[in-house]
Amino acid sequence: MPNRCTNPDNLPDKPGVYIMRNIDDDILYVGKAKSLIKRVKSYFSLSKQPLKTRILMSHFHNLEYIITDTEKEALILESNLIKKHKPKYNIRLKDDKRYPYIKITNETFPRVLITRTVNNDKSYYYGPFTDTGSVRSIVKSIKALFKIRECKKMNGPCLNYQINLCSAPCSGKISAQAYNEIVEKINLFFEGKYDQIIEMLNEMMIEAANNQEFEKAAVLRDQILSVDNILEKQKIEFDRGLEQDVITCAYDEKIACVVVFSIRDGKIIGKDDFLMSGAEDTLPHKILAAFLKQYYMSPRNPPSEIIIQYKVDDVDLIAEWLSESRGNEVILRTPQNNAESRLVQMVTKNAEIIKNHQSEVKNALFDLKKYLNLKKIPHKIEAFDISNISGKLSVGSMVVFEEGFPKKSKYRKFKIDMDGPNDYAMMKNVLNRRYIKLFSENDDKKPDLILVDGGKGQLNVALDVLKSFKIDDIPIIGLAKEFEHIFVPEISTPLILPRNSAALHLLQRIRDEAHRFAVSYHKKLRSKEIKYSLLDEIKGIGEKRKLLLLKHFGDIEQIKNASIDEIRSVNGISSHLATEIHKYLHKNSIDKNG
């Protein structure tokens, strides 16, 4: 349990962690020390302290401390407490909960999942990753490549088994031992040990061929080709066997960005970027030290070498901790030759680009506040759009941008059940459904700005909806695409921003994203309707047969163009059913044309 203290002279001369609090008992700062009394007393020499520390101490009221056996234990505890409490004056990974991890579950037949929550459940976790799209693509490819199960309940062969995307452990089609040998290959994949995977797969392929298990050998051959295809995408190569993380930062008085390049088996297998909070007016080596302690505190296996831009405080202590975590030595150092210096420069250039982009977005938000005469910076913006064809299959979309970047987990789509094309009525329908929920739940996370795609008409509809819920504290604007005019309430003439304005470019990006999201949902519904009307009404066609047909032919049009014999060649389709499918599709085509 932490010990309370108001007088630093009463602290012990032992290693530990100190927790500084204000008069309201909020945690201001968490730090670690080799000697608690010496470290904490240094804060009270205000004349020698930087501005940030002087501001911290102006709010200080009391502290707690926890004694540890070693300074390394203090370092680990410090990192855990910073992650848990996110103190205002600590340098910390910004919003790290938004970054996804890949999880290999701790089950008899493990699954491969994407998660944003890390639990102490003996599962394998890889991440965090900053590119969610790439993570989804990788997991999808891995599941298909190694035929890993997706179902939560193992209650019989599922559709994935029918279309050769699962090895069906639920029905005993594969033993637990054989399945877990496959999972071990997946672990090697995420650790970047591609050569070991290929060597293992080659041995298994040769053994299968020698045993005349030609179908199994063909599957293994395809797996080798798939892994080779992934390797070909890694453009930059280094010495074989090289295992490094290269970590640099770029910063100014407002923003600090850290970039990590991961090199495994001599190839760059990943690049991730992270924003740091509480890093204002902080020296870069302190930013890197804070990052290292928090980044490797997550469930990841450190590489044998970590190359950093600047030498950090506690470098030996951090290296000792990482070595213990890895199970053998981890070297933490700055570049030692021209090749490493050029690599650090390349990673730093990436960090600078990301930092500059973040600065541009921040400036755009400031400009938006000024141009629209808002009371505060629009940190959260919600935007709406409508998509339909002559009033059919009408849908609406809501996209959310926070700090100028899309927050896709908060996107919403709306199916609109309404006769005839009436964009105003459709916009009213969508806004009603969104804001009745906001109003009824008393959501304190209201947007700072609402954007509707359209001109004065759409804006007036949106205003009426907000008034009906007595919401008068959320600014709202319309953005008309033809001339990029901005319509604001109670002003008859539109606001015209400079064409090169960062604020206008941000609004355009948000409006276009709402449009893209609406159109993609509309296309999905159209696709579902086509599939339903042309296949689901045929007697004898269920979900499995429908997917088998679509997988075999590609789309409805190809099925329509196929002969009865070609349809009959699909697994599970009898001669009678093939005749019925052919007859129905051609009758449907004649009815439409007639």
Side-chain angles (χ1 to χ4, degrees):
M1 288 289 292
N3 302 287
R4 284 274 177 169
C5 177
T6 54
N7 185 350
D9 290 327
N10 296 331
L11 289 167
D13 186 16
K14 292 182 178 180
V17 169
Y18 54 94
I19 304 165
M20 306 179 91
R21 296 178 178 270
N22 63 14
I23 196 167
D24 297 320
D25 219 32
D26 300 320
I27 296 177
L28 298 171
Y29 185 82
V30 174
K32 66 109 181 108
K34 189 174 182 179
S35 166
L36 284 166
I37 187 170
K38 290 176 184 176
R39 182 70 186 99
V40 173
K41 284 184 76 172
S42 71
Y43 282 95
F44 292 85
S45 304
L46 292 181
S47 60
K48 300 176 183 178
Q49 300 291 0
L51 176 61
K52 183 177 175 181
T53 304
R54 295 202 298 271
I55 295 172
L56 162 66
M57 294 308 294
S58 70
H59 297 286
F60 170 77
H61 182 259
N62 65 76
L63 64 81
E64 295 174 320
Y65 65 92
I66 303 170
I67 297 171
T68 59
D69 290 333
T70 65
E71 192 179 2
K72 183 176 67 181
E73 287 180 7
L75 180 143
I76 295 169
L77 179 58
E78 175 200 38
S79 298
N80 281 324
L81 290 173
I82 290 170
K83 184 167 184 149
K84 180 180 178 180
H85 296 292
K86 297 181 172 55
K88 181 177 180 179
Y89 291 96
N90 278 101
I91 306 168
R92 60 199 182 278
L93 274 172
K94 188 174 182 181
D95 294 328
D96 59 339
K97 282 187 180 178
R98 68 190 174 97
Y99 299 127
Y101 291 81
I102 292 173
K103 174 181 180 179
I104 299 178
T105 61
N106 178 31
E107 299 173 278
T108 305
F109 295 97
R111 292 171 292 150
V112 180
L113 310 173
I114 297 173
T115 181
R116 294 175 191 273
T117 304
V118 177
N119 298 313
N120 186 20
D121 57 2
K122 297 185 180 179
S123 298
Y124 288 97
Y125 291 88
Y126 297 95
F129 300 94
T130 54
D131 188 340
T132 307
S134 294
V135 171
R136 287 199 185 103
S137 177
I138 289 169
V139 169
K140 185 178 179 181
S141 298
I142 286 294
K143 287 177 179 177
L145 172 61
F146 293 106
K147 297 179 174 46
I148 295 298
R149 75 178 181 98
E150 286 190 9
C151 50
K152 290 182 181 178
K153 297 179 180 178
M154 297 175 60
N155 51 4
C158 61
L159 181 60
N160 278 355
Y161 172 70
Q162 299 288 338
I163 57 177
N164 201 31
L165 290 177
C166 178
S167 53
C170 51
S171 334
K173 303 290 184 184
I174 185 172
S175 68
Q177 181 182 345
Y179 188 93
N180 279 280
E181 284 174 0
I182 292 171
V183 171
E184 182 56 34
K185 295 174 204 165
I186 297 173
N187 276 314
L188 290 173
F189 180 91
F190 288 125
E191 290 168 10
K193 296 173 182 177
Y194 300 128
D195 287 348
Q196 290 185 36
I197 297 175
I198 291 176
E199 184 180 344
M200 188 186 302
L201 291 173
N202 265 314
E203 289 175 0
M204 293 172 66
M205 182 180 70
I206 292 167
E207 182 182 351
N210 290 337
N211 294 335
Q212 296 188 347
E213 297 174 305
F214 299 117
E215 187 175 336
K216 180 179 178 181
V219 170
L220 291 164
R221 178 204 62 207
D222 292 342
Q223 289 180 347
I224 292 167
L225 291 173
S226 296
V227 176
D228 280 337
N229 184 49
I230 292 170
L231 290 178
E232 284 175 12
K233 295 177 182 177
Q234 310 303 328
K235 301 296 184 186
I236 303 174
E237 295 197 14
F238 303 91
D239 294 338
R240 289 179 68 80
L242 184 65
E243 187 183 37
Q244 289 179 340
D245 281 349
V246 182
I247 304 177
T248 74
C249 71
Y251 68 101
D252 57 27
E253 65 276 6
K254 293 180 181 177
I255 295 174
C257 174
V258 178
V259 170
V260 182
F261 272 35
S262 299
I263 303 168
R264 302 292 185 270
D265 278 351
K267 294 179 175 66
I268 293 181
I269 66 164
K271 186 215 84 171
D272 285 304
D273 55 89
F274 301 86
L275 295 178
M276 304 297 288
S277 295
E280 299 83 2
D281 300 316
T282 303
L283 295 173
H285 70 277
K286 291 188 177 293
I287 295 171
L288 285 176
F291 176 80
L292 287 166
K293 288 184 278 187
Q294 293 173 60
Y295 181 68
Y296 290 108
M297 184 59 66
S298 63
R300 61 171 65 247
N301 191 35
S304 57
E305 285 189 331
I306 301 170
I307 310 298
I308 49 178
Q309 187 181 15
Y310 306 103
K311 186 175 180 180
V312 299
D313 297 336
D314 299 322
V315 64
D316 293 336
L317 188 63
I318 295 172
E320 181 189 346
W321 162 57
L322 294 174
S323 298
E324 184 178 287
S325 175
R326 176 182 165 82
N328 49 50
E329 186 181 21
V330 173
I331 298 170
L332 179 61
R333 59 178 176 81
T334 53
Q336 292 182 346
N337 54 50
N338 288 336
E340 289 179 350
S341 295
R342 285 195 300 271
L343 182 58
V344 165
Q345 288 171 8
M346 180 179 73
V347 180
T348 305
K349 187 175 181 181
N350 276 267
E352 285 285 352
I353 290 168
I354 294 164
K355 183 209 71 173
N356 291 340
H357 181 54
Q358 291 282 343
S359 296
E360 287 172 9
V361 171
K362 272 199 168 184
N363 291 336
L365 292 172
F366 277 111
D367 287 348
L368 207 51
K369 175 181 179 294
K370 179 182 69 176
Y371 284 129
L372 299 179
N373 197 26
L374 304 176
K375 292 180 180 177
K376 61 180 182 179
I377 294 169
H379 298 289
K380 180 180 180 183
I381 301 174
E382 293 183 356
F384 297 85
D385 189 29
I386 302 295
S387 180
N388 67 89
I389 297 177
S390 301
K392 294 181 180 178
L393 293 175
S394 303
V395 300
S397 71
M398 179 188 83
V399 299
V400 179
F401 275 57
E402 293 184 358
E403 304 301 341
F405 292 92
K407 195 78 171 176
K408 294 192 176 182
S409 62
K410 295 185 178 179
Y411 284 17
R412 296 292 179 268
K413 50 196 178 188
F414 304 86
K415 193 173 180 181
I416 304 170
D417 186 14
M418 191 173 290
D419 295 328
N422 186 334
D423 283 356
Y424 293 160
M426 292 175 189
M427 181 64 78
K428 182 176 181 180
N429 178 286
V430 168
L431 291 169
N432 263 315
R433 288 158 66 185
R434 162 61 183 140
Y435 291 111
I436 193 171
K437 187 175 181 182
L438 182 78
F439 184 75
S440 62
E441 293 178 356
N442 195 24
D443 192 341
D444 60 351
K445 305 252 180 186
K446 293 179 181 178
D448 301 311
L449 179 66
I450 297 170
L451 168 65
V452 293
D453 180 28
K456 202 74 176 173
Q458 280 86 353
L459 175 63
N460 287 333
V461 165
L463 285 169
D464 288 343
V465 170
L466 293 189
K467 284 177 185 174
S468 71
F469 295 118
K470 297 182 172 58
I471 299 173
D472 58 5
D473 58 345
I474 305 177
I476 184 164
I477 62 171
L479 180 60
K481 191 164 189 177
E482 187 176 0
F483 299 108
E484 306 293 10
H485 287 175
I486 299 171
F487 291 88
V488 296
E490 300 177 0
I491 299 178
S492 57
T493 56
L495 177 64
I496 302 173
L497 300 189
R499 287 287 175 179
N500 61 351
S501 161
L504 176 61
H505 293 164
L506 176 60
L507 290 178
Q508 289 170 328
R509 269 203 314 279
I510 298 171
R511 187 267 318 278
D512 292 346
E513 175 66 356
H515 181 69
R516 179 203 65 77
F517 191 52
V519 168
S520 66
Y521 182 40
H522 184 252
K523 285 181 178 176
K524 185 177 179 181
L525 291 183
R526 283 171 58 200
S527 174
K528 280 185 177 179
E529 186 189 55
I530 290 168
K531 289 174 186 175
Y532 176 80
S533 62
L534 296 182
L535 282 179
D536 287 7
E537 292 182 4
I538 303 174
K539 189 176 180 181
I541 297 290
E543 190 68 19
K544 290 182 180 179
R545 282 175 173 161
K546 180 175 70 173
L547 286 173
L548 286 168
L549 284 164
L550 290 170
K551 187 173 188 294
H552 183 87
F553 289 103
D555 57 32
I556 295 290
E557 199 60 35
Q558 295 300 319
I559 302 173
K560 189 186 297 182
N561 294 334
S563 67
I564 293 174
D565 285 341
E566 287 171 331
I567 297 172
R568 188 175 56 203
S569 70
V570 176
N571 184 34
I573 305 296
S574 66
S575 297
H576 173 72
L577 186 54
T579 303
E580 289 299 310
I581 292 168
H582 188 270
K583 186 193 299 182
Y584 177 84
L585 292 181
H586 282 268
K587 177 181 179 298
N588 188 275
S589 178
I590 291 167
D591 289 346
K592 282 189 176 180
N593 292 330

